[in-house]
Amino acid sequence: LDRAESHLRRVGPGGIRPVDALVDNLQDLLRGERVHVLQGRLAYQSGEFTAAAEAFARAVDAAPASVDARVNRGAALAQTGDLSGAIRQLETALGLDPRSVATHRSLGAALAHVDRHGEAVDHLRVVIELAPDDIEARRLLAGSLSRLGREPEAIEVLFTVTALDPGDEDSLLNLTFLLADRARFREALDLVDRAHQLFPARPRTTTTLARLLATSPDVSLRDGSRALDLAQALFDA
């Protein structure tokens, strides 16, 4: 008792924290989840997706209600090719937080990869509602809409994508082809022409512009001389 009192007198202003097995265990679990998530992210960034999935699995074991751990695990599983496992993790995460943008986006991407495009569209539209500037969700949405045969909707989405990110060549060319397929040749030509002026060194954009100028079914839009100049310059480069 004398020694105890001696030590108690040395205690600083923070006071004494008694031992509490339950609270201590919760702190250990929290630290465990964070450590495993960090390990998983490092492995993921290094392209070691199996190791990442294993680390995220340990994070889920440490904190089963963690949306972050489950979304990360789902992303890693998708990279390993286990899309069914990824979808299960993401659906569980969505049950924990129905308004998680990251979960809806990842689940939409995973569903699109297994050709469940109707379901993918539903999740991706939620992302756009919650995060209107999410360009990746809009790209994914346009792809699923196209595969469902809903080209007019896909065109509208891609117009927004190209407005938000004029440098996105893939989306711009996809939009150009969709417009041309629907006989909207003037819009397609204007779109790819503006892109060429912004990025004149891009071979795919230049090729598409030359092709439209040379072969547009609307002959009033054809310019064979300019098409030849573009093609020759691209060939020389």
Side-chain angles (χ1 to χ4, degrees):
L1 182 59
D2 290 341
R3 291 181 62 194
E5 290 176 347
S6 174
H7 283 289
L8 289 172
R9 283 193 294 269
R10 302 176 194 174
V11 173
I16 302 171
R17 187 182 70 84
V19 174
D20 186 322
L22 178 59
V23 173
D24 291 344
N25 186 51
L26 290 174
Q27 292 300 317
D28 289 341
L29 288 176
L30 182 59
R31 285 193 294 269
E33 178 206 354
R34 288 175 177 170
V35 168
H36 295 315
V37 167
L38 178 58
Q39 291 173 337
R41 287 177 178 168
L42 290 172
Y44 191 98
Q45 292 168 3
S46 300
E48 300 173 5
F49 301 117
T50 300
E54 292 171 352
F56 292 135
R58 292 192 293 272
V60 170
D61 290 341
S66 170
V67 173
D68 188 38
R70 290 189 181 274
V71 171
N72 278 288
R73 187 182 181 192
L77 288 171
Q79 291 291 342
T80 67
D82 183 4
L83 289 168
S84 60
I87 290 170
R88 284 195 300 271
Q89 289 297 319
L90 293 166
E91 287 176 338
T92 301
L94 201 59
L96 295 167
D97 182 3
R99 292 180 64 81
S100 167
V101 170
T103 306
H104 278 290
R105 186 196 306 108
S106 297
L107 185 53
L111 290 167
H113 273 94
V114 295
D115 293 328
R116 293 165 59 179
H117 294 289
E119 296 169 78
V121 165
D122 293 338
H123 289 288
L124 295 168
R125 286 205 183 279
V126 173
V127 175
I128 293 170
E129 177 186 345
L130 297 174
D133 294 333
D134 192 317
I135 296 178
E136 181 58 27
R138 290 182 183 274
R139 292 189 187 104
L140 293 167
L141 176 60
S144 285
L145 288 170
S146 294
R147 286 167 178 79
L148 289 170
R150 294 160 60 177
E151 287 87 358
E153 294 175 73
I155 286 171
E156 293 307 312
V157 173
L158 286 173
F159 266 123
T160 303
V161 171
T162 56
L164 291 171
D165 183 6
D168 182 352
E169 187 179 28
D170 287 338
S171 293
L172 183 135
L173 293 179
N174 287 338
L175 176 55
T176 301
F177 299 144
L178 283 173
L179 289 169
D181 287 343
R182 300 188 69 79
R184 294 167 63 174
F185 303 114
R186 167 63 69 183
E187 291 174 87
L189 181 60
D190 289 346
L191 183 72
V192 75
D193 198 0
R194 286 197 301 272
H196 175 68
Q197 293 173 32
L198 289 172
F199 307 101
R202 288 183 171 178
R204 289 193 299 153
T205 299
T206 304
T207 299
T208 303
L209 176 58
R211 185 173 295 150
L212 281 173
L213 289 169
T215 67
S216 173
D218 181 349
V219 295
S220 68
L221 301 177
R222 293 188 186 181
D223 186 340
S225 177
R226 186 183 175 203
L228 180 59
D229 289 344
L230 289 167
Q232 187 64 53
L234 185 61
F235 178 82
D236 291 341

